[in-house]
Amino acid sequence: MSGRIDVLVLDDEAAVASAAAGLFAELIRRKPNAVLGLATGSTPEPISAEMVHLYRDTGLSFAKARAFNLDEYLGLDGDHDQSYRFFMQKRLFDSIDIRAWNTFIFDGTALDPEQECRAYEAKIRAVGGVDLWLLGIGGNGHIAFNEPGSDPASRARVVTPDEETVKANSRHFADPSAVPTRAMTAGVGTILDARQIVLVATGAHKADAVAQALEGPRSSDCPASLLQEHPDCTFLLDSAAASQLC
Ligand code: PGA
């Protein structure tokens, strides 16, 4: 059972990106100082491109928006080309009018990472919570770096990504052995607190995880299935990612 999750199956990656960016545009037009929850990765990348297009060509302004990112590698400086801060600057923040001081990503070089995680939660609370959180999904059902076994009530914390995740992410690194083995991530509970959630998945390699999340039991074995309890969650899928759904 898919619980209360809305599912939209679209033609291709471009349609998924356009629909996801459209949800953010709609939110920002309604609430210019909205709190955006953003994500990195191959699936969110075209969504960032679409947001830049909306900024340049339709006048969508991020000037009052606040943005939180899901996760960051521990040990990578924001200038490192594989840090998620770097990804966000290059793919989105440097190309839109969002204010630097309104972008919140864990500092991968924080001296006290646990304190960095507590500060992240406190900042989210201070701005009144996240309005719309964008998520990808891992082949093992993870959301952010919440791997199978993550507590549904978990908050921001330091984690050790699964070997499968480290391997999947190594494709982006010139030296695959250089992928950090620890990270800071928003917790499942942090994500579930968002007023609205949109999960995007494209490609056949995500089909199993998507089917587990929507049609499997709500269980920490597939962290994305924990979204079934959220009152306003939508999955935007291309037909390949939806191919295992009944
Ligand atoms: P991907 O990552 O979009 O690069 O496949 C998704 C994820 O692991 O959350």
Side-chain angles (χ1 to χ4, degrees), residues 4 10 16 39 43 48 66-67 90 105 163 198:
R4 292 179 283 186
L10 300 160
V16 168
T43 323
S48 292
R66 282 73 58 83
K90 295 296 161 203
I105 304 184
E163 216 170 294
V198 57

Side-chain angles (χ1 to χ4, degrees), residues 40-44 136-139 142-144 165 169 171-172 205-206:
T40 54
S42 304
T43 323
I137 182 171
H142 74 209
I143 45 176
T165 303
N169 291 355
R171 71 189 191 279
H172 302 295
H205 62 301
K206 298 292 175 72

Side-chain angles (χ1 to χ4, degrees), residues 138-141 147 161-169:
N140 63 359
E147 301 286 16
D162 281 6
E163 216 170 294
E164 177 182 339
T165 303
V166 173
K167 195 161 165 247
N169 291 355

Side-chain angles (χ1 to χ4, degrees), residues 17 39-51 87 91 134 172:
T40 54
S42 304
T43 323
E45 197 170 337
I47 301 171
S48 292
E50 191 61 27
M51 287 188 194
F87 179 105
R91 304 299 200 294
L134 172 67
H172 302 295

Side-chain angles (χ1 to χ4, degrees), residues 17-131:
S18 156
L23 287 179
F24 280 95
E26 198 182 297
L27 167 65
I28 293 167
R29 290 201 173 101
R30 181 164 38 86
K31 183 179 177 186
N33 67 343
V35 180
L36 318 178
L38 301 177
T40 54
S42 304
T43 323
E45 197 170 337
I47 301 171
S48 292
E50 191 61 27
M51 287 188 194
V52 172
H53 157 71
L54 289 168
Y55 165 70
R56 287 194 181 143
D57 300 335
T58 74
L60 181 70
S61 174
F62 295 79
K64 294 186 175 151
R66 282 73 58 83
F68 285 82
N69 260 80
L70 284 172
D71 43 19
E72 181 60 283
Y73 287 121
L74 198 62
L76 294 194
D77 188 82
D79 289 332
H80 189 289
D81 66 0
Q82 290 307 322
S83 74
Y84 292 167
R85 164 61 77 177
F86 188 88
F87 179 105
M88 292 309 298
Q89 291 302 140
K90 295 296 161 203
R91 304 299 200 294
L92 184 63
F93 297 155
D94 290 350
S95 304
I96 60 174
D97 61 347
I98 197 161
R99 308 296 189 229
W101 55 89
N102 283 332
T103 67
F104 302 97
I105 304 184
F106 298 101
D107 175 359
T109 61
L111 288 177
D112 183 346
E114 295 293 353
Q115 171 55 28
E116 178 72 6
C117 292
R118 286 191 292 277
Y120 172 90
E121 291 278 352
K123 278 179 209 155
I124 292 179
R125 277 196 303 277
V127 297
V130 172
D131 287 300

